[in-house]
Amino acid sequence: MTRTQTVIGFIVCIATVLLAVLDTNIVSAATVPIARDLDPVHGVDKIPWLISAFALASAAALPLYGKLCDSLGAKKVFVGAVASFLLGSALCGAAQSMPELIAARALQGLGGGGLMSVTMVVLAQLRTPGGSGGGKASGVGGIVAGTGMAIGPWIGGTLSDHANWRWIFYINLPLGIAALIGAILVLKLPVSPARHRIDYLGAALAAAFTSSLLLATSWGGKDYAWASPQIIGLLVAGVLTLVLFLRRQATAAEPVLPLSLFKVPQLRYGFAIQGLLGAAMMGALVYVMIYLQAVRGIEPAAAGLYLIPMAIGMTVVGLGAGRLSDRGWRMKTFVLTGTIASALGLALLATLGTDTSLWLIRAALLVMGCGFGLLIGQLIPYVQNAAPAHQLGIATTSIRFFQTLGNALGAAVFGTLLSRVYEAKVPGGSTSAIARPTGAAHATAVHGFVTAMDVVFLVAAGVMAVAAVLAARLPAETRPAAEHAAEAEIARV
């Protein structure tokens, strides 16, 4: 590829990452207006499926995407993922009922899973011949992902307040079509000359395990009790399919997630850190928003603005890390610093009270953003550098896969922890009804809720402390001089 084609390819990748992250977070802020418009009577009851359809389809497709990239070439898979996402977006905007919208969201999710994971494979292959390396391109992709995560809810709330909710989906089309055309015209990526067999059975087992886990963690303690037959059945199904999946990966000729990857220390620790990061980020973002709205009475759109300091932190450290990387700083240093900063930010949030200064919350989110920015921007290329060249796609999508599992487990653990601590502080109370009591009872309920949230943030800080211990054990990567020179050239472009 020429220098101009490489730059255009880089812009295309950044646009697709932004599309994926913004779409997920924009929709989460507009679910109630959507449900009221399509089904005023029962629409709100179907909101969980509106969110879960995208997440389930996206997570289920991740293991298969990695193998397809290594077998068919990243360009074909990338184009297919973007096309599926755009088709799903158009159908979502045109949906006339909740079932239609849920089905369209599932199709959109199939493409959305590829937008984040396959895009990182493309970025890595744009960096150096043959697809080795990651570097600054993946780092900037991580910054864009984090920024979109922070501003997505605010954009979604604004669109739902001042425009028709269908524009939340239609707005994807112009940018997505431009990215699709750009990818088709300029991307020239390596394709393996050898013919590969796709382990569809392994992919199906991975999808079944992921779906069971996501549904159990999404429904447990909310729609169904944890001891209910539905949740127990899902957990049993998850364990069974996990065992079958691991057995399949150990015996398949070309598995979708080769167990040999876990023999590489960089990958083994990298996957674990990414999973812990996914759990901690789930606790941080969700419960900060709950605190601002339920305890401080801030409107949803305004509450979303409090995530801007986090986005600023992610952007600043991401750009700074890119420059320091060009000067020879090791990715391990950034990953270790990121885990420590994330733990510190979460520990600050564990000191929240009913009247804590809102500036302290902004400061904590800024520190946390700095930590998350270093992790998202540097952990992916660190793993990519250590992955065998012929397994770059599998290694990259596996990072996203473990983050998804971390998100699911984090949501379940933190949700249960919040409820248990609250019930201990306010006997007979429920976290879903803290706004109902009045007078002294209301003050007691709010105090108990804040105490429970502090425990959640403290545990999340502990999760990142464990990640810091693992980061300290990461082997220092070795970067060839040719690769370092290539990164410096791209930086100048």
Side-chain angles (χ1 to χ4, degrees), residues 386-474:
H390 67 284
Q391 294 179 324
L392 176 66
I394 294 176
T396 304
T397 55
S398 295
I399 299 176
R400 182 70 176 166
F401 181 68
F402 282 100
Q403 181 178 343
T404 300
L405 297 182
N407 287 340
L409 293 175
V413 172
F414 292 141
T416 301
L417 183 63
L418 182 72
S419 298
R420 294 293 180 268
V421 176
Y422 180 79
E423 291 169 2
K425 294 292 182 180
V426 186
S430 171
T431 55
S432 61
I434 63 170
R436 297 176 187 172
T438 58
H442 177 71
T444 301
V446 171
H447 183 268
F449 187 72
V450 172
T451 301
M453 294 194 68
D454 287 345
V455 174
V456 168
F457 287 127
L458 188 61
V459 172
V463 169
M464 290 313 301
V466 174
V469 173
L470 296 179
R473 297 177 61 86
L474 286 171

Side-chain angles (χ1 to χ4, degrees), residues 338-431:
T339 54
I340 295 173
S342 300
L344 177 60
L346 288 164
L348 288 174
L349 290 176
T351 64
L352 292 180
T354 55
D355 57 353
T356 300
S357 170
L358 296 176
W359 285 105
L360 176 62
I361 298 174
R362 294 185 178 99
L365 290 172
L366 177 64
V367 173
M368 203 160 55
C370 292
F372 287 164
L374 288 173
L375 287 171
I376 294 176
Q378 299 297 323
L379 190 56
I380 292 176
Y382 176 88
V383 169
Q384 288 175 331
N385 283 350
H390 67 284
Q391 294 179 324
L392 176 66
I394 294 176
T396 304
T397 55
S398 295
I399 299 176
R400 182 70 176 166
F401 181 68
F402 282 100
Q403 181 178 343
T404 300
L405 297 182
N407 287 340
L409 293 175
V413 172
F414 292 141
T416 301
L417 183 63
L418 182 72
S419 298
R420 294 293 180 268
V421 176
Y422 180 79
E423 291 169 2
K425 294 292 182 180
V426 186
S430 171
T431 55

